[in-house]
Amino acid sequence: MTQKGAQAPFRINFIALGSAHNVDIQARVNSCDAPYARKRTQQRLAVVGLGESSLYAINELREWDGDIWAINGAAAWLADKGIVSTMVTVDPLPFPDFAFHGISSALFASCADPSAFEQMRDRVEKFDMIEHSDTGVIGGCTTATRMPALAVSLGYTDVTFFGCEGSFTKRNHVDSERTYPEQLIINADGVDYVSVPEFVLQAQSLASVMREWPDIFKEKSGGLLRGMILDQNWSVVAVSSALKG
């Protein structure tokens, strides 16, 4: 990491770009024939990501009195631990086959890869995103950041996020260690957090929602997400060489 000498709060304005190249997303959306997601009768929802904090929430999730949505690979990870969840994604890229192991239901954005819908067949419902439909789900650049709007639209009134801390210490994902050359350290509420641009954008988006509607949206993730909720004057204090160029 390289220390920056700018006056706090020093910020980097990241711009999220699409991850699917050479794909006609709108054509994919128009041809998706899965049924639209139905309204839920359950009001409590847990949204689970693959952040380190999920490891410490396993017992709570096993006893969770409500529905559980698991982001991308978190669904198979939870299934391996005997926890039933609905796999959710807005990712337009293909998933490896093991991502669907033990999954009994799914909720995919209509722009998701057709192979994901094929894997789940009659066990999947869809939703549109605002980019593809005037009535689509709003939010940020990750699956987690679309979940607040989707949850409310389906009738949930009590939504708690696990494993979405947006920072890491030992492992950046509980199911695997991924390579991120572009790293940065953010100080929020007096604590330094190691993160990457994608996680920072996610934490910013979720933190703003949780500050605005704390009675509906909560977190048991900790990390950078909690830091940004508590401290809107957070700042970047160091970046890796890969972010300097």
Side-chain angles (χ1 to χ4, degrees), residues 178-192:
R178 304 175 196 180
T179 301
Y180 291 107
E182 297 84 5
Q183 296 188 15
L184 63 165
I185 296 175
I186 291 179
N187 184 277
D189 197 38
V191 179
D192 287 346

Side-chain angles (χ1 to χ4, degrees), residues 97-177:
D97 287 347
F98 64 76
F100 303 97
H101 289 176
I103 310 306
S104 58
S105 64
L107 187 54
F108 295 160
S110 52
C111 64
D113 191 83
S115 65
F117 282 97
E118 178 61 22
Q119 282 274 6
M120 297 304 296
R121 292 188 180 89
D122 58 351
R123 296 170 291 164
V124 61
E125 296 174 297
K126 71 177 179 181
F127 61 94
D128 293 329
M129 298 207 294
I130 192 65
E131 294 91 332
H132 313 127
S133 169
D134 291 341
T135 58
V137 173
I138 62 172
C141 61
T142 68
T143 296
T145 61
R146 300 289 172 137
M147 294 303 100
L150 181 61
V152 168
S153 73
L154 296 185
Y156 294 102
T157 60
D158 185 347
V159 184
T160 303
F161 285 76
F162 297 84
C164 294
E165 58 266 38
S167 56
F168 51 91
T169 54
K170 297 177 181 178
R171 295 177 67 85
N172 50 49
H173 291 78
V174 293
D175 67 338
S176 63
E177 182 68 14

Side-chain angles (χ1 to χ4, degrees), residues 185-193 224 226-228 230-235 237:
I185 296 175
I186 291 179
N187 184 277
D189 197 38
V191 179
D192 287 346
Y193 298 101
L224 179 60
R226 186 171 300 172
M228 285 185 167
L230 296 172
D231 180 11
Q232 296 187 57
N233 293 315
W234 57 268
S235 61
V237 297

